[in-house]
Amino acid sequence: MSETILVTGSSGQIGTELVMNLRKIYGNDHVIASDIREPNAEVMESGPFEKLNVMDRPQIFEIVKKYKVTQVYHLVAMLSATAEKVPEAGWDLNMKSFFYIMELAREGHLKKVYWPSSIAVFGPTTPRINTPQHTIMEPTTVYGISKQTGERWCEYYFNKYGVDVRSIRYPGLISWKSEPGGGTTDYAVDIFYEALKTGKYTSFLKADTGLPMMYMEDAIRGTIELVEAPAEKVKIRSSYNFSSLSFTPEVLAQAIQKEMPDFSIDYNPDFRQAIAETWPESIDDHFAREHWGWKHNYDLNDMVKDMLKNLRTKLNIK
Ligand code: SER
């Protein structure tokens, strides 16, 4: 039987690209984009879009019934920096909507759920270099606490009710099609826009703050590979460590300078510095590689070249 997929948060950084990739695989009419915000023209014109507030539980069910949805990629979330400013709203959005989807799956309305977790599940007591899959997890941000809690519930719903839920702990994601919003890793996208527009960038993280990162192409492919993997290969039902790159603002700036020698960077750390310091620098993702064959393609220089090339076209800059 063919799949019909609902993507929540489809106008966000991941959703915008994921929808287009899923439509290529499953057919335009089989991938329903949904968000409180309008999507870009490409998503809007290529297939169904539903304006959805995921706090409206009956509306989610209506959409699932209307399209006979079989899988949900539940991407809606308030990210780390924003959620620190409105903790209760962040918790509510991230957790309530999660339960609405998981309950639909438990009741048998969905065959599969994909739910994104994050490196934010780790905290200041976690080993920061090559952070293991199974380790100390004492997150100190609202976002991190919500993702950590969600992971526990994913495993619970799988063990207790057999819900086929799959999840990845994303590092910072770098993309040119859509911009991130409200995250601590956003500098690694902003820097490209400013490099092309003004030739300089002021980083809100310190020069030597290392964080795990990934190019969106890799992240989208890995996500779809995990969701399509045979169930028995998905042995971890909380969330998989998932990694490719790890760099500091200084190292990223140097890689950009190889392509744009006049580019300059300075540093003016803000409250996001304290968040970044609680997160890992690099991630050990050997379980993802062993269990379902995860493999990344882009290294730092490939990513920088591809970002600059695509953004030049997008921003119409020579
Ligand atoms: N990119 C996210 C953030 O910075 C981490 O999952 O909040």
Side-chain angles (χ1 to χ4, degrees):
M1 197 196 113
S2 68
E3 302 291 337
T4 300
I5 299 171
L6 171 66
V7 179
T8 72
S10 64
S11 302
Q13 190 196 12
I14 301 171
T16 303
E17 298 206 31
L18 184 69
V19 164
M20 295 314 298
N21 279 271
L22 289 172
R23 282 183 176 162
K24 267 185 223 139
I25 300 170
Y26 294 93
N28 288 349
D29 293 341
H30 285 267
V31 181
I32 295 91
S34 70
D35 203 295
I36 206 158
R37 288 184 292 153
E38 292 255 308
N40 69 13
E42 199 185 16
V43 169
M44 195 67 176
E45 284 156 19
S46 59
F49 170 76
E50 291 279 344
K51 197 170 174 65
L52 170 67
N53 174 357
V54 284
M55 300 299 270
D56 184 345
R57 188 174 192 169
Q59 202 199 343
I60 303 175
F61 191 34
E62 283 308 309
I63 294 172
V64 166
K65 278 191 299 192
K66 176 175 166 190
Y67 293 94
K68 301 193 171 59
V69 169
T70 56
Q71 299 183 8
V72 175
Y73 285 67
H74 181 42
L75 304 184
V76 167
M78 195 184 291
L79 293 191
S80 58
T82 311
E84 286 310 287
K85 293 181 182 152
V86 284
E88 198 179 334
W91 176 261
D92 256 19
L93 178 69
N94 294 359
M95 296 315 311
K96 279 197 176 152
S97 65
F98 169 84
F99 276 108
Y100 298 160
I101 301 292
M102 295 305 276
E103 280 296 291
L104 282 178
R106 185 180 67 79
E107 290 163 1
H109 301 290
L110 306 170
K111 289 198 297 192
K112 250 183 221 179
V113 176
Y114 175 77
W115 179 77
S117 186
S118 160
I119 54 165
V121 294
F122 301 114
T125 51
T126 304
R128 291 198 71 212
I129 313 285
N130 264 329
T131 301
Q133 172 73 37
H134 305 290
T135 185
I136 301 168
M137 296 166 91
E138 297 181 316
T140 51
T141 61
V142 174
Y143 175 68
I145 298 169
S146 74
K147 288 295 179 187
Q148 160 68 349
T149 306
E151 284 193 9
R152 295 289 84 227
W153 281 107
C154 282
E155 201 179 88
Y156 185 89
Y157 270 81
F158 174 76
N159 286 336
K160 192 97 178 179
Y161 308 122
V163 168
D164 188 353
V165 55
R166 302 165 184 215
S167 176
I168 278 171
R169 292 173 181 154
Y170 290 122
L173 297 177
I174 296 158
S175 61
W176 59 271
K177 276 201 180 172
S178 47
E179 288 174 60
T184 302
T185 55
D186 294 8
Y187 90 85
V189 177
D190 300 344
I191 193 172
F192 287 97
Y193 282 86
E194 291 307 311
L196 288 167
K197 286 186 196 157
T198 68
K200 53 185 192 316
Y201 180 65
T202 302
S203 169
F204 59 73
L205 297 184
K206 287 183 192 162
D208 61 353
T209 309
L211 285 169
M213 298 278 181
M214 186 179 291
Y215 198 38
M216 188 61 91
E217 294 253 341
D218 275 335
I220 298 283
R221 183 178 46 78
T223 300
I224 296 173
E225 283 171 10
L226 170 64
V227 175
E228 291 186 342
E232 65 276 10
K233 294 199 170 182
V234 187
K235 298 186 178 94
I236 292 172
R237 295 294 183 151
S238 51
S239 189
Y240 274 95
N241 275 11
F242 186 63
S243 109
S244 63
L245 314 172
S246 173
F247 54 74
T248 64
E250 188 173 28
V251 167
L252 178 58
Q254 284 161 0
I256 294 173
Q257 279 158 353
K258 280 194 208 157
E259 307 297 319
M260 303 177 65
D262 295 334
F263 171 67
S264 67
I265 185 163
D266 59 10
Y267 302 91
N268 186 17
D270 67 13
F271 73 102
R272 288 169 282 193
Q273 179 64 31
I275 298 176
E277 283 173 14
T278 71
W279 290 353
E281 266 184 54
S282 57
I283 299 285
D284 172 357
D285 65 351
H286 76 273
F287 284 116
R289 291 174 191 268
E290 282 165 21
H291 291 178
W292 46 275
W294 161 240
K295 199 168 159 295
H296 69 274
N297 286 334
Y298 284 83
D299 69 15
L300 177 59
N301 291 324
D302 300 333
M303 186 269 287
V304 167
K305 283 196 185 116
D306 209 61
M307 277 296 282
L308 290 172
K309 184 175 91 180
N310 285 304
L311 276 183
R312 275 201 178 98
T313 310
K314 181 178 170 182
L315 303 173
N316 211 358
I317 293 171
K318 295 260 155 61

